Amino acid sequence: MLRFECDYTEGCIPEILEAISRENHTQLQGYSEDTVTNRARARVKALCGREDVDVHFLVGGTQANTTVIAAALRHHQGVIAAAQGHIACHETGAIEAAGHKVIALPSQTGRLTAAQIEAVCAAHWSDPSFEHQTQPAMVYLSHPAENGTIYSLSELEAIRAVCDKWHLYLFLDGARLGYALASPKNDVSLQDLARLTDVFYLGGTKVGALFGEAVVIANPEIARDFRYHIKQRGGMLAKGWLLGLQFDVLLEDGRYFQISQQAVDRAMEIRAALEALGIPFWSDSWTNQLFPILPNEALTALEREYVFNHTEKMDDTHTAVRICTSWATTEAQTQALIADLRRVLG
Amino acid sequence: MLRFECDYTEGCIPEILEAISRENHTQLQGYSEDTVTNRARARVKALCGREDVDVHFLVGGTQANTTVIAAALRHHQGVIAAAQGHIACHETGAIEAAGHKVIALPSQTGRLTAAQIEAVCAAHWSDPSFEHQTQPAMVYLSHPAENGTIYSLSELEAIRAVCDKWHLYLFLDGARLGYALASPKNDVSLQDLARLTDVFYLGGTKVGALFGEAVVIANPEIARDFRYHIKQRGGMLAKGWLLGLQFDVLLEDGRYFQISQQAVDRAMEIRAALEALGIPFWSDSWTNQLFPILPNEALTALEREYVFNHTEKMDDTHTAVRICTSWATTEAQTQALIADLRRVLG
Amino acid sequence: MLRFECDYTEGCIPEILEAISRENHTQLQGYSEDTVTNRARARVKALCGREDVDVHFLVGGTQANTTVIAAALRHHQGVIAAAQGHIACHETGAIEAAGHKVIALPSQTGRLTAAQIEAVCAAHWSDPSFEHQTQPAMVYLSHPAENGTIYSLSELEAIRAVCDKWHLYLFLDGARLGYALASPKNDVSLQDLARLTDVFYLGGTKVGALFGEAVVIANPEIARDFRYHIKQRGGMLAKGWLLGLQFDVLLEDGRYFQISQQAVDRAMEIRAALEALGIPFWSDSWTNQLFPILPNEALTALEREYVFNHTEKMDDTHTAVRICTSWATTEAQTQALIADLRRVLG
Amino acid sequence: MLRFECDYTEGCIPEILEAISRENHTQLQGYSEDTVTNRARARVKALCGREDVDVHFLVGGTQANTTVIAAALRHHQGVIAAAQGHIACHETGAIEAAGHKVIALPSQTGRLTAAQIEAVCAAHWSDPSFEHQTQPAMVYLSHPAENGTIYSLSELEAIRAVCDKWHLYLFLDGARLGYALASPKNDVSLQDLARLTDVFYLGGTKVGALFGEAVVIANPEIARDFRYHIKQRGGMLAKGWLLGLQFDVLLEDGRYFQISQQAVDRAMEIRAALEALGIPFWSDSWTNQLFPILPNEALTALEREYVFNHTEKMDDTHTAVRICTSWATTEAQTQALIADLRRVLG
């Protein structure tokens, strides 16, 4: 079986394993206060074009989301997210367990718009009994969104303006950020994110690392005491250097961007093949996740050799599936899949 | 100004004040362990037709909702509610602050259906990554719902069946329960509620008491250690007898039901007058809350003398308002309002 | 049986019941936004000598403590309290349920000292792994403390200085504040409290009201959005005027201070009688709570007619009990108790 | 500098890195549902001598502690721990952030006794206002304790008996369990732990793994829905096989026990050298952590070449320090340290 159902079926790029082996017997200070991690922090700052951000490395996405949101919000405040947002539906209520409501907004596109956020805030603050409702205090975006689509620079700027108007923090979940940056449709840079958000993260788990997310905090209100929150939420690794080292390797010589580009290029090859076959898509994704709507018979045939993720039953005879490439997807795997797609769907 | 915007603008029925004055200098045991409260408990049990339920008296609705839900759920579990449900949008995220997600379902009618609950549970338990989502473990109904409509006996029985199938607790918020029981459309008795729900409450704050809700717990899993939860959530009154005594008076000689009936009768008079004037309604309410859709000009004219609650702008020229009667609404007030409605809208 | 075990066995001063009766049929705005409550707020501000404080009325002590602490602290912060403090041991973990650690310090006197607080903060901030510990961010004092003793002005000033040094909020639980102010040993005024604390409350439940605590917030960081927290913690009464009105009556013409004085005077009579009998005390209390250490045989004899609270077994033959007077204790009751104490212990 | 301050300064045993490299390009199912993890589960069960336990792999200690405790307790319940216990003082209030009080008991030995637990429970349940207090529902032990000492089998059996009597879960934090099992004073087996506790874990982070703790749940009440709690608390790794694989390697051919034994043997050599020099110890530890009390001058001299952890100032001229060996400590490092100890202290 060849797995295309997600982008975390393999381990990591070989350079990371080499680096771990190299450092394995070095005695390093615990809890991310070591020299390797500091070097990785410096790389992140340089790429963001800002020396004044705080950089922390956490193990995974749910942990990063919970820690950032809990560090930022007071008890009566909530976070606005798309209804499909990871924090709204795939983290077992982690944000609520930390005491905060996720204010989930329906979205056709899987992304939030500045207008939606404006409407929620305007409604809240004009309601005479606003104190009987959760106060909106943060906006959570996934970029790429769960359906593979990405925000444009102008969309992000509009959202930032609304956040400024209503005193909302802007938090961008970049678990797959590399694949957004590598998209042919992308016009957003890391520096833009460091300028427009209060906090965002650069995902490693799905982009070449064994695990790890690099959290970049531009707003000092959120940065203050952040390490307490990491510890409290179970994210302070004794051997924190394992996190820093992985980002040190990923961000050296542009590796992170190269492997992301390669994964997106392969997805685009698959996308072109599907388009040529007249297959429609569930979302307009130009990143490493594609969501073709396949006839059930063809899907059954393909699933003898491939693993996909079933996203949604479209009707009695069609199903939207997720096909993911990753940094680990080879050209041979890509061509094999394309050939089989043509054979079955042609 | 005459206030019709809600059912808690006045204090309480005079018999309650008399009883407080009578007991005011009696030395009574604290924390609801006194004889007066026990008498009230016995009255509730008798009306429910069950000796095996636990009865606790709490100060208000948000407190009752939070305490019951926190007592019932484990950390990974959530409660299903209509999107308009009080816990979903008018309690400042109290349920989330207690750690639990409100799984809010859209509803045209303001009420949940058995089919909706079935769909949520079926989807949860058939999802291969169900553990990445909040586990649905309780259903919350408001009866009457926030829009004044009520559940029929068959609707409640269908919901109970779904709860049994998926191991969900059924919790009914009866903050205005008296007005539901008095509705001309009602076919549900207190005994039915004690039989069909795991826990419900009989509201006092909006039905003749100064404050207070009588929580009836039929399920021993929720009843166990419930007083710890009352204390932890700030609901254990030193002078708990004040709560018990109010229900003792309300439930004596059927007063609770008489004053509810009177309030609903007056609402029905207003409803008939509005219908005769051809005024449409925002919801099909046959309880003490009416939601007529009024022309804005007429509304402005009426608001020189009356206070209503604005529920929703329907279009540029019409607004849905809430008109509430209560146990305290007099026949004179009712006739004055009807006369003015006829004058302005006729 | 005559109950001396606590100060909340009776209802309220008659003037409160009269005022409720008088307002009972007035239509008042809900949720403490009415004119009566505003009048009570003005009285509290005048007594505190500050117009710039925020005043809110809550139902009870646990609710007030949880709401204030949750409004003030971020998730990684905790509150320092004496090990005997109400929040540390008599609120079923309400503070922890809100997510915050109570940093409980042992105390011989039942009160905290500036030196203890200084030591905790110095230890925290000098520890290289301080981020692995709860950050101390608030000090909670009960005044009188649970053992009836009170803080002197110089003790409070020293604590304030430590709080300033280490950026701690100072919160004073005044559930029995009237009895502290009336103590022959007292040298602290309401104005002092409004000047020295960030937030404190003036208790009503144990001092003449049916229920209610008046929370005075001097620090705008805590005051901001406080009503959200009241609602979230279940403390927003629909008929909030019931709270305001009780304080309006209590604070009119100095009633609150007079009834407190009367209760303390009676306690001092009992204290003098016990001292004359050579009875030792468990704590050096000069307020309405006395803690004599009685021989068990005498206690058994007395408990045929009186109810006391057992505080601690001192040895096989002696028990410390709590004897409370309150605003409701009559001179006749006091003299009866004194006569019986003399008869049994003489 | 040679670091002896803790047992997590190096990476992992080489066999783990080899195994990661070997599996690095295998496509494996996510979220610990892969075949490698299942093999590790089978190894743990075999070592525990029980097929009916549940085994889960988590990243670190704070995460394991929070997840287990949150999975086990209802909101009104707390966990009894020694005041020095990790959850009581070194996890930034993680347990409280999950809503639960840590009932911290003072301990001279750093360990809890059955008698202490008995006393707490007897006091709780005999108090007439027990519902005003956190209900004790779990006992947390660290084994070895933070001071390096270990529980004997008879101590654990006595604690189990008290837990049975008062319906408490028994939870044993084995972050350093290997070093306890290897102690010359040990008489407790893994099978004993699986029999006597409701849940315990076998630590990897400090015993040869890069990171990871193997949680063994014998009580089905805690096991039920445990994966929801892992996800909610941020512990569900996308590449969960990294955890399983490390334990698969550690537990193969008894490696875990051999490396633990080696570390303890080296600690015993250091211990013997210190004893021969007449150095007293802060705790009676026979595991990999030693706490000699050193003269400050000698300490200063040693710290030119060694890193130790300062545990406590004993007086103006003496300090207790922690000296840790680990699976990574070499015989050469051990002998170097011993030689320098003799030189400086001799």
Side-chain angles (χ1 to χ4, degrees):
Chain A
M1 298 296 280
L2 204 49
R3 291 178 167 273
F4 277 95
E5 89 268 36
C6 67
D7 33 21
Y8 41 85
T9 49
E10 282 92 352
C12 63
I13 59 171
E15 294 89 339
I16 285 179
L17 285 188
E18 289 160 22
I20 295 178
S21 296
R22 203 163 52 231
E23 297 289 356
N24 190 46
H25 286 277
T26 311
Q27 290 194 316
L28 287 165
Q29 189 151 352
Y31 303 116
S32 300
E33 301 191 303
D34 60 277
T35 50
V36 175
T37 301
N38 285 337
R39 200 165 60 215
R41 285 195 179 99
R43 289 198 197 276
V44 174
K45 292 181 182 186
L47 286 165
C48 290
R50 288 181 66 165
E51 281 305 304
D52 64 338
V53 296
D54 263 27
V55 180
H56 298 276
F57 300 101
L58 298 179
V59 170
T62 298
Q63 190 179 88
N65 292 335
T66 310
T67 306
V68 166
I69 292 169
L73 300 187
R74 291 175 66 202
H75 288 288
H76 64 303
Q77 299 179 323
V79 53
I80 297 172
Q84 303 96 322
H86 209 260
I87 59 167
C89 51
H90 282 104
E91 301 188 354
T92 319
I95 307 307
E96 290 85 359
H100 300 287
K101 189 182 193 75
V102 178
I103 304 168
L105 307 186
S107 166
Q108 291 281 334
T109 64
R111 302 189 306 284
L112 289 177
T113 66
Q116 280 184 295
I117 300 164
E118 167 71 27
V120 165
C121 293
H124 179 82
W125 291 106
S126 67
D127 188 321
S129 51
F130 63 91
E131 294 152 333
H132 295 227
Q133 300 161 27
T134 299
Q135 184 182 86
M138 184 180 245
V139 170
Y140 165 92
L141 308 178
S142 347
H143 179 70
E146 286 69 16
N147 67 359
T149 67
I150 56 175
Y151 288 87
S152 69
L153 183 58
S154 65
E155 285 172 338
L156 288 179
E157 286 173 336
I159 289 171
R160 174 74 263 171
V162 173
C163 289
D164 285 342
K165 176 174 173 190
W166 296 105
H167 303 291
L168 304 167
Y169 294 123
L170 181 54
F171 170 32
L172 186 141
D173 167 346
R176 293 189 169 94
L177 187 54
Y179 304 128
L181 296 170
S183 169
K185 303 290 190 190
N186 175 56
D187 66 351
V188 176
S189 69
L190 269 183
Q191 292 94 322
D192 291 330
L193 294 179
R195 172 175 57 87
L196 293 170
T197 73
D198 295 281
V199 49
F200 76 97
Y201 61 93
L202 195 62
T205 304
K206 293 165 179 167
V207 193
L210 288 171
F211 53 88
E213 320 293 317
V215 179
V216 181
I217 311 181
N219 188 319
E221 292 172 6
I222 301 175
R224 186 159 66 92
D225 293 340
F226 195 76
R227 280 172 55 85
Y228 285 94
H229 295 275
I230 296 176
K231 180 66 186 169
Q232 185 177 71
R233 301 289 162 189
M236 186 83 84
L237 280 200
K239 299 173 190 173
W241 61 267
L242 281 167
L243 291 160
L245 178 142
Q246 293 186 76
F247 277 93
D248 186 47
V249 172
L250 278 173
L251 299 179
E252 189 186 34
D253 298 334
R255 278 191 198 100
Y256 186 79
F257 307 101
Q258 293 156 17
I259 62 175
S260 298
Q261 191 63 58
Q262 177 184 298
V264 171
D265 289 349
R266 285 173 182 161
M268 292 303 106
E269 294 176 58
I270 299 168
R271 183 184 166 102
L274 285 162
E275 282 184 318
L277 290 160
I279 296 295
F281 290 89
W282 176 77
S283 76
D284 190 35
S285 169
W286 298 82
T287 59
N288 75 315
Q289 300 180 89
L290 303 173
F291 297 85
I293 297 171
L294 301 180
N296 290 346
E297 285 183 28
L299 179 55
T300 304
L302 287 161
E303 291 188 330
R304 286 191 204 106
E305 292 178 50
Y306 296 93
V307 183
F308 306 130
N309 202 310
H310 287 217
T311 294
E312 193 177 333
K313 274 197 182 181
M314 301 308 292
D315 58 35
D316 281 355
T317 57
H318 290 80
T319 301
V321 300
R322 180 170 76 164
I323 298 180
C324 265
T325 62
S326 81
W327 59 274
T329 309
T330 64
E331 185 59 22
Q333 290 168 339
T334 308
Q335 293 310 324
L337 174 61
I338 289 173
D340 282 321
L341 289 170
R342 285 183 182 141
R343 181 176 53 80
V344 170
L345 296 164
Chain B
M1 297 295 280
L2 204 48
R3 288 176 169 275
F4 276 93
E5 90 268 36
C6 67
D7 34 20
Y8 42 84
T9 48
E10 284 92 351
C12 63
I13 59 170
E15 293 88 341
I16 284 179
L17 285 188
E18 287 161 22
I20 295 178
S21 296
R22 204 164 51 232
E23 297 288 356
N24 191 45
H25 286 278
T26 310
Q27 289 193 316
L28 288 165
Q29 190 152 351
Y31 303 117
S32 300
E33 300 191 305
D34 60 278
T35 49
V36 175
T37 301
N38 284 338
R39 201 165 60 214
R41 285 194 179 100
R43 288 195 198 279
V44 173
K45 291 180 182 186
L47 286 165
C48 290
R50 288 183 65 166
E51 281 305 303
D52 63 338
V53 295
D54 264 27
V55 180
H56 298 277
F57 300 101
L58 298 178
V59 169
T62 298
Q63 189 180 86
N65 291 335
T66 309
T67 307
V68 165
I69 292 168
L73 300 187
R74 290 175 66 202
H75 288 289
H76 63 304
Q77 299 179 323
V79 52
I80 297 172
Q84 303 96 323
H86 209 260
I87 60 167
C89 52
H90 282 103
E91 302 188 351
T92 320
I95 306 307
E96 289 85 0
H100 300 286
K101 189 181 191 76
V102 178
I103 304 167
L105 306 186
S107 166
Q108 291 281 334
T109 63
R111 301 189 306 284
L112 291 177
T113 66
Q116 279 184 296
I117 301 164
E118 166 70 27
V120 165
C121 293
H124 179 81
W125 292 105
S126 67
D127 189 321
S129 52
F130 63 92
E131 294 152 333
H132 295 227
Q133 301 161 26
T134 299
Q135 184 183 86
M138 185 179 241
V139 170
Y140 165 92
L141 307 178
S142 349
H143 180 69
E146 286 69 16
N147 67 359
T149 66
I150 58 175
Y151 289 87
S152 69
L153 183 57
S154 65
E155 286 172 337
L156 289 179
E157 285 173 336
I159 289 171
R160 174 74 263 170
V162 173
C163 289
D164 285 342
K165 177 175 174 188
W166 295 105
H167 303 291
L168 304 166
Y169 294 123
L170 180 55
F171 170 32
L172 186 141
D173 168 345
R176 292 189 170 95
L177 188 53
Y179 304 128
L181 296 170
S183 169
K185 302 292 189 186
N186 175 56
D187 66 350
V188 176
S189 69
L190 270 184
Q191 291 94 322
D192 291 329
L193 295 178
R195 174 175 56 88
L196 292 170
T197 72
D198 294 282
V199 48
F200 75 96
Y201 62 92
L202 194 64
T205 304
K206 292 165 180 166
V207 192
L210 288 171
F211 54 86
E213 320 292 316
V215 179
V216 181
I217 311 181
N219 189 318
E221 292 171 7
I222 301 176
R224 186 159 67 94
D225 294 340
F226 195 76
R227 279 172 55 86
Y228 284 93
H229 295 275
I230 296 176
K231 180 67 188 170
Q232 186 177 71
R233 301 290 161 188
M236 186 83 85
L237 281 200
K239 299 173 190 172
W241 60 267
L242 282 166
L243 291 160
L245 178 142
Q246 292 185 76
F247 277 92
D248 186 48
V249 172
L250 278 173
L251 299 179
E252 188 187 36
D253 298 334
R255 277 191 198 101
Y256 186 78
F257 307 102
Q258 292 157 18
I259 62 176
S260 298
Q261 191 63 59
Q262 178 184 298
V264 172
D265 288 349
R266 282 169 184 163
M268 292 303 105
E269 294 176 55
I270 299 167
R271 185 184 164 101
L274 286 163
E275 282 185 317
L277 290 161
I279 297 297
F281 289 90
W282 178 76
S283 76
D284 190 34
S285 168
W286 298 81
T287 59
N288 74 314
Q289 300 181 87
L290 303 173
F291 296 86
I293 297 171
L294 301 180
N296 290 346
E297 286 185 26
L299 180 54
T300 304
L302 287 163
E303 291 189 328
R304 286 189 204 106
E305 292 178 52
Y306 296 93
V307 184
F308 307 130
N309 202 309
H310 288 217
T311 294
E312 193 178 332
K313 273 197 183 184
M314 302 308 292
D315 58 37
D316 282 355
T317 56
H318 291 79
T319 302
V321 300
R322 180 170 75 164
I323 299 181
C324 266
T325 62
S326 81
W327 58 275
T329 309
T330 63
E331 185 60 23
Q333 290 167 339
T334 309
Q335 292 309 326
L337 174 61
I338 289 174
D340 283 320
L341 289 171
R342 285 184 181 143
R343 182 175 53 77
V344 171
L345 297 165
Chain C
M1 297 297 277
L2 203 49
R3 290 175 167 276
F4 277 92
E5 90 267 35
C6 67
D7 34 20
Y8 41 85
T9 48
E10 284 92 352
C12 63
I13 59 171
E15 294 88 341
I16 284 179
L17 286 188
E18 287 160 22
I20 295 178
S21 296
R22 203 164 52 232
E23 297 289 355
N24 191 44
H25 286 277
T26 311
Q27 289 193 317
L28 288 166
Q29 190 152 350
Y31 304 115
S32 300
E33 301 190 305
D34 60 278
T35 49
V36 175
T37 301
N38 284 338
R39 202 165 59 215
R41 285 193 179 99
R43 288 197 198 277
V44 174
K45 292 180 182 185
L47 286 165
C48 290
R50 286 183 65 166
E51 281 304 304
D52 64 339
V53 295
D54 264 27
V55 180
H56 298 276
F57 301 101
L58 297 178
V59 169
T62 300
Q63 190 180 87
N65 291 336
T66 311
T67 306
V68 165
I69 292 168
L73 300 187
R74 289 176 67 201
H75 288 288
H76 64 304
Q77 299 178 325
V79 52
I80 297 172
Q84 304 94 322
H86 210 260
I87 60 167
C89 52
H90 282 104
E91 302 189 352
T92 319
I95 307 308
E96 290 85 359
H100 300 286
K101 190 181 192 73
V102 177
I103 303 167
L105 307 186
S107 167
Q108 291 281 335
T109 64
R111 301 189 306 284
L112 290 177
T113 66
Q116 281 184 294
I117 301 164
E118 167 69 27
V120 165
C121 293
H124 178 82
W125 292 105
S126 68
D127 188 320
S129 52
F130 64 91
E131 294 153 334
H132 295 226
Q133 300 160 26
T134 299
Q135 184 183 86
M138 184 180 243
V139 170
Y140 164 92
L141 308 178
S142 348
H143 180 69
E146 286 69 17
N147 66 0
T149 66
I150 58 176
Y151 288 87
S152 70
L153 184 57
S154 65
E155 286 172 337
L156 289 178
E157 285 172 336
I159 290 172
R160 174 74 263 170
V162 173
C163 289
D164 285 342
K165 176 175 174 190
W166 295 105
H167 302 293
L168 304 167
Y169 295 124
L170 181 55
F171 170 32
L172 185 140
D173 168 345
R176 293 189 170 94
L177 187 53
Y179 304 128
L181 296 171
S183 169
K185 302 292 190 186
N186 175 56
D187 66 350
V188 177
S189 69
L190 270 183
Q191 290 95 321
D192 290 329
L193 295 178
R195 171 175 59 86
L196 293 170
T197 73
D198 294 281
V199 49
F200 76 97
Y201 61 93
L202 194 64
T205 304
K206 292 165 180 166
V207 193
L210 288 171
F211 54 87
E213 319 293 315
V215 180
V216 181
I217 311 180
N219 189 318
E221 292 172 8
I222 301 175
R224 186 158 67 94
D225 294 341
F226 195 77
R227 280 172 55 84
Y228 285 93
H229 295 274
I230 296 176
K231 180 67 187 169
Q232 184 176 72
R233 301 289 161 188
M236 186 82 86
L237 279 201
K239 299 172 190 173
W241 60 268
L242 281 166
L243 291 160
L245 178 143
Q246 293 185 77
F247 277 93
D248 186 48
V249 172
L250 277 173
L251 300 178
E252 189 186 33
D253 298 335
R255 277 191 199 99
Y256 185 79
F257 308 101
Q258 292 157 17
I259 61 176
S260 298
Q261 191 62 59
Q262 177 185 298
V264 171
D265 288 350
R266 285 173 182 161
M268 291 304 104
E269 294 176 57
I270 298 168
R271 184 184 165 102
L274 286 162
E275 282 184 318
L277 290 161
I279 296 296
F281 290 90
W282 177 76
S283 75
D284 190 34
S285 169
W286 298 82
T287 59
N288 74 315
Q289 300 180 88
L290 303 174
F291 297 84
I293 298 172
L294 302 180
N296 290 347
E297 284 183 29
L299 180 54
T300 304
L302 286 163
E303 290 189 329
R304 286 189 202 108
E305 292 178 50
Y306 296 92
V307 184
F308 307 130
N309 203 309
H310 288 217
T311 294
E312 195 177 332
K313 273 196 184 182
M314 302 307 292
D315 58 35
D316 282 354
T317 57
H318 291 79
T319 302
V321 300
R322 180 171 74 166
I323 299 181
C324 265
T325 62
S326 80
W327 58 276
T329 309
T330 64
E331 185 59 23
Q333 290 168 339
T334 309
Q335 291 311 325
L337 174 61
I338 289 173
D340 283 320
L341 288 170
R342 285 183 182 141
R343 181 175 52 80
V344 171
L345 296 165
Chain D
M1 298 295 280
L2 203 48
R3 290 175 168 275
F4 277 93
E5 89 267 38
C6 65
D7 34 21
Y8 40 85
T9 49
E10 283 92 353
C12 62
I13 59 171
E15 294 89 340
I16 284 179
L17 285 187
E18 288 160 22
I20 295 178
S21 296
R22 203 163 52 232
E23 297 288 356
N24 190 45
H25 286 277
T26 311
Q27 290 192 317
L28 287 165
Q29 190 152 350
Y31 303 116
S32 300
E33 301 191 304
D34 60 278
T35 49
V36 175
T37 301
N38 285 337
R39 201 165 60 216
R41 285 194 180 99
R43 288 197 198 278
V44 174
K45 291 180 183 186
L47 286 164
C48 289
R50 288 183 64 165
E51 281 304 304
D52 63 338
V53 296
D54 264 28
V55 181
H56 299 276
F57 301 101
L58 298 178
V59 170
T62 299
Q63 189 180 88
N65 291 336
T66 310
T67 306
V68 165
I69 291 169
L73 300 188
R74 289 175 66 201
H75 288 288
H76 64 303
Q77 299 179 324
V79 53
I80 296 171
Q84 303 95 323
H86 210 259
I87 59 167
C89 52
H90 283 104
E91 302 189 352
T92 320
I95 307 307
E96 289 85 0
H100 300 286
K101 188 181 193 76
V102 177
I103 303 167
L105 306 186
S107 167
Q108 292 282 334
T109 63
R111 300 191 307 286
L112 290 177
T113 65
Q116 280 185 295
I117 300 164
E118 167 69 26
V120 165
C121 293
H124 179 81
W125 292 105
S126 68
D127 189 320
S129 51
F130 63 92
E131 294 153 335
H132 295 226
Q133 300 161 26
T134 299
Q135 184 183 86
M138 185 179 243
V139 170
Y140 165 92
L141 308 177
S142 347
H143 179 70
E146 286 68 16
N147 67 359
T149 67
I150 57 175
Y151 289 88
S152 69
L153 183 57
S154 66
E155 286 172 338
L156 289 178
E157 286 172 335
I159 289 172
R160 173 76 264 172
V162 172
C163 289
D164 285 342
K165 176 176 174 187
W166 296 105
H167 304 291
L168 304 167
Y169 295 123
L170 181 55
F171 170 33
L172 186 141
D173 168 345
R176 293 189 170 95
L177 187 53
Y179 303 128
L181 296 171
S183 169
K185 302 291 190 190
N186 175 54
D187 66 351
V188 176
S189 68
L190 269 184
Q191 291 92 321
D192 290 329
L193 294 179
R195 173 175 57 88
L196 292 170
T197 72
D198 294 281
V199 49
F200 76 97
Y201 62 93
L202 194 63
T205 303
K206 293 164 179 166
V207 193
L210 289 171
F211 54 86
E213 319 294 316
V215 180
V216 181
I217 312 180
N219 188 320
E221 292 171 7
I222 301 176
R224 187 159 66 93
D225 293 341
F226 194 77
R227 279 172 56 84
Y228 285 93
H229 295 275
I230 296 176
K231 180 67 186 169
Q232 185 177 71
R233 301 289 161 190
M236 186 83 85
L237 280 201
K239 299 172 190 173
W241 60 268
L242 281 166
L243 291 160
L245 178 141
Q246 293 186 76
F247 277 91
D248 186 47
V249 172
L250 278 174
L251 299 179
E252 189 185 35
D253 298 334
R255 279 192 197 97
Y256 185 79
F257 308 101
Q258 292 157 16
I259 61 175
S260 298
Q261 190 63 58
Q262 177 185 298
V264 171
D265 288 350
R266 286 174 180 160
M268 291 304 103
E269 295 177 55
I270 299 167
R271 185 184 164 100
L274 287 163
E275 282 184 319
L277 290 160
I279 297 295
F281 291 90
W282 178 75
S283 75
D284 190 34
S285 168
W286 298 81
T287 59
N288 74 315
Q289 300 181 87
L290 302 174
F291 297 85
I293 297 171
L294 301 180
N296 289 346
E297 284 183 28
L299 180 55
T300 304
L302 287 163
E303 291 189 328
R304 287 190 201 107
E305 292 178 50
Y306 296 93
V307 183
F308 306 130
N309 201 311
H310 288 217
T311 294
E312 194 177 331
K313 273 198 183 181
M314 301 308 292
D315 58 34
D316 282 356
T317 56
H318 291 80
T319 302
V321 301
R322 181 170 73 164
I323 299 181
C324 266
T325 62
S326 80
W327 59 275
T329 309
T330 63
E331 184 58 24
Q333 291 167 340
T334 308
Q335 292 309 326
L337 175 61
I338 289 173
D340 283 321
L341 288 171
R342 286 185 181 140
R343 181 175 52 78
V344 170
L345 296 165

